[in-house]
Amino acid sequence: MYVNMKTSRNKNKETEKKPKKFRKYMRGKLAFTFLVIVLALFALGIAVAAIGYDDNEEYAKIVLSQQDYDSRVVTARRGNIIDRNGNVLATNETLYNLILDPAVILADENYTETTLNALAECYGYSKEELTTLIHERSKSHYVRYTRQMPEEEMTRFLELQKQINEDAYKSDKPFRVKGVWFETEYKRIYPYGDLACRVIGFSSADGTSGSYGIEQYYNENLAGINGREYGYLSEEANLERVTKDAVNGDTLVSTLDANIQRIVERRIEEFMSTVGAKTTAVIVMDPDNAEVLAMATSNSFDLNAPRDVLSRFTDEQIRQYGLEEGMAAYNREHPEAPIAQEQVPEVYTEEEIRSFGQQVACALVWKNYCISETIEPGSTAKVFTVAAGLEEGILHTTDTFYCDGGEDFPGTRVTCHLKSGHGTLDVTGALAESCNDALMQIGFRIGADVFSKYLELFNFGMKTGVDLPGEERGILYEPENITNLTLATEAFGQNYNVTMIQMAAAYCSLINGGYYYEPHVVRQILDENGDVKQTITKTLVRETVSRSTSEFIRQALLQTVDEGSGTAAAIAGYTVAGKTGTAQKYPREAEHYLISFTGFVPYDDPQVFIYVVIDEPNVEDQSRGGYGTALTKTILQDLLAYMNIYPTREVPESSPEEGGGETAPEGGEASSAPEEGEGNQPVQGGEEEPTSEEGGIYSGNGDNSVYEGLQQQPQRERPDD
């Protein structure tokens, strides 16, 4: 029996489920989202393609670096340094490193034996030592075995290799010399040895870093950028290489003239061998742009072997330097628990102490006195006091001053070098006779604020910005700390410290019409192809004085050489202008002096400026003897001939060849200054020119051949008569 059964369903429409439909606004959102994703993927694809195109090599190296590889640095060639005439002052010698590839040498026993025999035959290497090495480094493709091999030694092996391989090939034998190759390396050399050593500086053995001088200051330009060669094993086990070429360093064209530098250094050497001094230094500059033509200091060193200077010191000196530096180094690191010098051996080993001492000893020789040593300028700075008064309208060229031999201060007297007094002098006479008394009176008239203002205007107390490392700032009193006594002594050039480069740059501004240019020793930067990348032109920092003040100072300094304290610097036929200076060093009672002279030629249109400093000449009375003027004269005589600066005065037939008279006037400009509250002793000593009775005046040998063998600067056109 069949029973018909029916399935009942819920007919309630409210509980019945219906399929959902996208509303119109939802479809719009979905379409927008889809479009954004498609555009993003499209942009990503473009970016990936661009990266692959632009940075393919870089990313290839990243990939290669994760594989089995060898790599080596491709050394950049350090840029040359040349003088303004093209003479090469610093360059590189190309040398070669012998590289072994143990993986290749050991790949076939026929290669191994033949290659090791060839190395032993050519260079005398130990075959046993080579065998041990290549087995220890059997998977390596790069083992540097010998460094800095000359080209002829490399060529000798390559020729032997070629002969062995060709003979084996012709005889159909498997013996081959394989797995030996050579990479290029550069050794820094200085063709002229010690010429301009402290200006050029020197570099590390690999040429990557410079020390001192131009080598250090312009290291980024000179060093270039090393490349790299990447080696990796391909799927077929072949060694593949990818090379990123090195970018060689730039060539620097310095402002130096190697001929002028050599003239200056020869004259310094001559002076040091006859008279001698603690230090003698000279700067020669072009006043119109502050380019340094020469900068030299006595006791030069060979740039090709800079550390040989240690032979100048005894072991005891080096140890003492080491003890002092060790104490200073420890106390810098441990200020909370400083040690005394006698405790240094408890902290450092003897080897460390000696290392400290060697560093100090080398630095003493390598340091550039012209920029890193501060000195009291002495009477050469009197021109700045006069210029300040003239510029402010406080002083007039016709003003007169009465010199009675000095000025009295509480507890002391500051004397003029002529203690009996010069009598009445105008401003020109005050400079020409280098009268301390007159300058003190001028200093009082202008006051501490104006005086300090002009010291800063001439850039004293601040770095000049010369492109050399290690420049010092100098030491000045703050205006509020200047007393009548310190103002008096500062007015004639003592009780403040400057550097030689500061004085030279300030003087150039004073004589060139009032334009202070930043001194510099590099004039051009060239790429490795010789194309100019940068020209370093004269940089005007500020205007210091008016043209009228500049003209007056030049005229006054001409009279100083013609008739005043600087006659020993006169050269017949030339309008040499300049200023003598002698500063009594601290401690004043030691009677140690720094002798100086600033000069320029011709006086009305200076083409060359020279600043000579002789620190503690080796004579009994350092304040006497016109060593500064005499040394200046011998240098200028050479420079005028070399630079083709022609006479502008008629040379009297009866005049001596050097001109300027046979002897300098007796006396001179002595000056010294006590510290505030130093005591009741009168101030003595100072700057004096030689007398005919003294003798011993330094005079050069007149040899003008010191620049033989160097390129000379182009002839200047002779001015119209």
Side-chain angles (χ1 to χ4, degrees), residues 64 72 122 125 181 333 387 536 600 609 653:
L64 295 179
R72 69 178 182 90
C122 187
Y125 295 152
W181 52 281
E333 296 178 3
I536 302 172
F600 52 94
F609 167 82
E653 293 182 5

Side-chain angles (χ1 to χ4, degrees), residues 267-285:
R267 294 310 185 195
I268 289 176
E269 182 181 352
E270 186 179 77
F271 174 82
M272 293 295 287
S273 65
T274 54
V275 178
K278 180 180 178 181
T279 302
T280 299
V282 177
I283 294 177
V284 180
M285 289 178 69

Side-chain angles (χ1 to χ4, degrees), residues 609-620:
F609 167 82
I610 183 171
Y611 183 30
V612 172
V613 166
I614 301 172
D615 192 350
E616 298 186 28
N618 294 340
V619 293
E620 186 174 350

Side-chain angles (χ1 to χ4, degrees), residues 24 42 45 92 94 149 186 189 191 216 279 291 360 365 528 564 653 657 694:
K24 186 175 182 180
F42 182 72
N92 308 284
T94 304
M149 182 178 289
Y186 302 101
I189 59 171
Q216 179 176 333
T279 302
E291 288 186 349
V360 173
V365 179
E528 61 178 306
E653 293 182 5
E657 184 179 348
E694 276 189 303

Side-chain angles (χ1 to χ4, degrees), residues 307-508:
R307 296 194 69 84
D308 285 356
V309 300
L310 290 172
S311 62
R312 304 179 188 184
F313 300 88
T314 65
D315 289 341
E316 183 55 36
Q317 285 177 313
I318 290 176
R319 188 174 191 277
Q320 183 59 37
Y321 292 148
L323 292 173
E324 294 170 2
E325 180 59 24
M327 178 184 69
Y330 184 87
N331 292 342
R332 283 193 298 268
E333 296 178 3
H334 305 87
E336 74 287 350
I339 60 172
Q341 190 177 127
E342 57 270 18
Q343 296 175 284
V344 171
E346 301 172 9
V347 178
Y348 298 106
T349 66
E350 282 299 316
E351 184 178 352
E352 290 172 325
I353 292 172
R354 181 169 180 80
S355 177
F356 281 138
Q358 289 176 338
Q359 294 173 32
V360 173
C362 286
L364 288 174
V365 179
W366 296 341
K367 183 175 71 171
N368 189 340
Y369 183 96
C370 297
I371 66 170
S372 299
E373 191 76 21
T374 65
I375 59 175
E376 288 182 296
S379 294
T380 52
K382 289 175 179 176
V383 291
F384 303 113
T385 305
V386 171
L390 293 174
E391 283 297 298
E392 292 294 313
I394 301 171
L395 181 68
H396 303 89
T397 59
T398 56
D399 291 347
T400 59
F401 302 89
Y402 183 77
C403 170
D404 62 359
E407 295 288 331
D408 291 313
F409 297 87
T412 191
R413 177 175 174 80
V414 179
T415 64
C416 186
H417 66 86
L418 188 59
K419 296 176 185 175
S420 60
H422 289 100
T424 301
L425 296 170
D426 61 12
V427 180
T428 298
L431 288 175
E433 298 300 329
S434 200
C435 177
N436 290 349
D437 196 350
L439 265 293
M440 286 188 278
Q441 294 174 54
I442 294 172
F444 297 148
R445 182 181 293 187
I446 65 177
D449 289 338
V450 170
F451 182 81
S452 298
K453 168 188 170 183
Y454 276 85
L455 285 184
E456 292 185 9
L457 187 67
F458 284 109
N459 216 71
F460 297 126
M462 295 176 281
K463 294 182 179 181
T464 65
V466 66
D467 44 349
L468 290 171
E471 183 184 9
E472 290 293 331
R473 299 173 62 91
I475 305 170
L476 302 181
Y477 275 100
E478 294 293 337
E480 59 271 19
N481 296 329
I482 296 178
T483 65
N484 284 339
L485 179 57
T486 53
L487 177 59
T489 54
E490 285 188 326
F492 59 73
Q494 295 204 186
N495 263 333
Y496 65 94
N497 279 39
V498 300
T499 63
M500 286 186 67
I501 193 64
Q502 284 177 338
M503 280 289 285
Y507 248 93
C508 285

